[in-house]
């Protein structure tokens, strides 16, 4: 095997590499089944909710009484306590027990990370999970903030806050 990295990468995740665009197209039908980016794109296209203005989406987050703040370091260290947590828009959700986020699950790469920018942009390369490099309040446009808000609503309906 060659030590060189293939020339074409999946545009939705950083897991799949191809030798050419033709090769990528030939293998897309198989890769789409496991690609977290492809799965999220399909889900977000299904929802045609009304779009909120950017100003509304950037309003300060109301802190809930009795809910402790979780630092990025605590989020990153959640595995050590056997927990599966994901961060989104300044909140942390406990997804422990969900097959989607567990080892080998389609979204396991989201665990212990702030997923805000990655979900808003629907891009899942490493830099989109680093809030020091890209932050949802600063780096997402109105359309991306609405996509992120849709995910936030889904998480809030399905998973408890940490």
């Amino acid at each position: 095997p060659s030590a060189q990295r293939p020339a074409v990468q999946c545009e939705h995740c950083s897991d799949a590499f191809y030798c050419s665009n033709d090769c990528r197209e030939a293998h897309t039908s198989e890769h789409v089944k496991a690609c977290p980016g492809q799965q999220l794109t399909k889900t977000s296209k299904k929802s045609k909710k009304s779009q909120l203005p950017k100003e509304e989406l950037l309003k300060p987050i109301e802190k809930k009484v009795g809910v402790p703040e979780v630092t990025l370091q605590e989020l990153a260290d959640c595995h050590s306590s056997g927990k599966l947590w994901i961060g989104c828009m300044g909140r942390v959700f406990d997804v422990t027990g969900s097959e989607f986020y567990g080892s080998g699950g389609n979204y396991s790469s989201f665990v212990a990370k702030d997923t805000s920018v990655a979900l808003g942009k629907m891009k899942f390369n490493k830099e989109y999970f680093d809030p020091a490099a890209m932050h949802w309040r600063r780096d997402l446009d109105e359309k991306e903030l609405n996509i992120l808000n849709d995910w936030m609503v889904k998480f809030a309906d399905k998973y408890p806050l940490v």
Side-chain angles (χ1 to χ4, degrees), residues 59-98:
K59 282 186 177 178
I61 297 168
E62 290 184 33
K63 298 291 178 193
K64 297 199 181 225
V65 177
V67 176
E69 292 204 22
V70 177
T71 66
L72 288 172
Q73 187 60 53
E74 290 170 322
L75 175 61
D77 292 341
C78 71
H79 283 297
S80 65
S81 63
K83 300 290 184 183
L84 301 178
W85 295 348
I86 58 170
C88 184
M89 292 179 77
R91 294 175 179 92
V92 176
F93 295 93
D94 186 347
V95 297
T96 305
S98 170

Side-chain angles (χ1 to χ4, degrees), residues 109-110 113-119 123-131 134:
S109 63
F110 295 2
K113 297 179 181 123
D114 182 327
T115 62
S116 304
V117 173
L119 290 173
K123 295 184 178 181
F124 303 102
N125 296 349
K126 183 180 176 181
E127 65 268 20
Y128 296 107
F129 291 100
D130 180 3
M134 299 182 90

Side-chain angles (χ1 to χ4, degrees), residues 8-149:
V8 181
Q9 184 177 9
C10 172
E11 63 189 35
H12 299 284
C13 74
S14 58
D15 297 334
F17 293 90
Y18 305 96
C19 57
S20 66
N21 282 327
D22 290 338
C23 182
R24 179 180 63 190
E25 288 176 25
H27 294 94
T28 294
S29 64
E30 189 60 33
H31 176 64
V32 73
K33 296 173 190 171
C35 177
Q38 296 270 354
Q39 300 300 319
L40 291 175
T41 301
K42 284 181 186 177
T43 304
S44 67
K45 285 180 181 176
K46 289 179 188 174
S47 73
K48 294 291 181 189
K49 298 178 183 167
S50 61
Q51 300 291 294
L52 297 172
K54 188 173 187 174
E55 301 77 39
E56 181 73 21
L57 294 164
L58 291 176
K59 282 186 177 178
I61 297 168
E62 290 184 33
K63 298 291 178 193
K64 297 199 181 225
V65 177
V67 176
E69 292 204 22
V70 177
T71 66
L72 288 172
Q73 187 60 53
E74 290 170 322
L75 175 61
D77 292 341
C78 71
H79 283 297
S80 65
S81 63
K83 300 290 184 183
L84 301 178
W85 295 348
I86 58 170
C88 184
M89 292 179 77
R91 294 175 179 92
V92 176
F93 295 93
D94 186 347
V95 297
T96 305
S98 170
E99 65 185 55
F100 298 113
Y101 298 95
S103 180
N106 286 342
Y107 307 126
S108 62
S109 63
F110 295 2
V111 172
K113 297 179 181 123
D114 182 327
T115 62
S116 304
V117 173
L119 290 173
K121 290 188 172 288
M122 300 304 292
K123 295 184 178 181
F124 303 102
N125 296 349
K126 183 180 176 181
E127 65 268 20
Y128 296 107
F129 291 100
D130 180 3
M134 299 182 90
H135 194 274
W136 65 273
R137 287 188 175 275
R138 179 187 63 232
D139 297 307
L140 297 183
D141 64 25
E142 189 169 303
K143 179 181 176 189
E144 293 165 336
L145 283 167
N146 273 284
I147 291 169
L148 178 57
N149 190 59

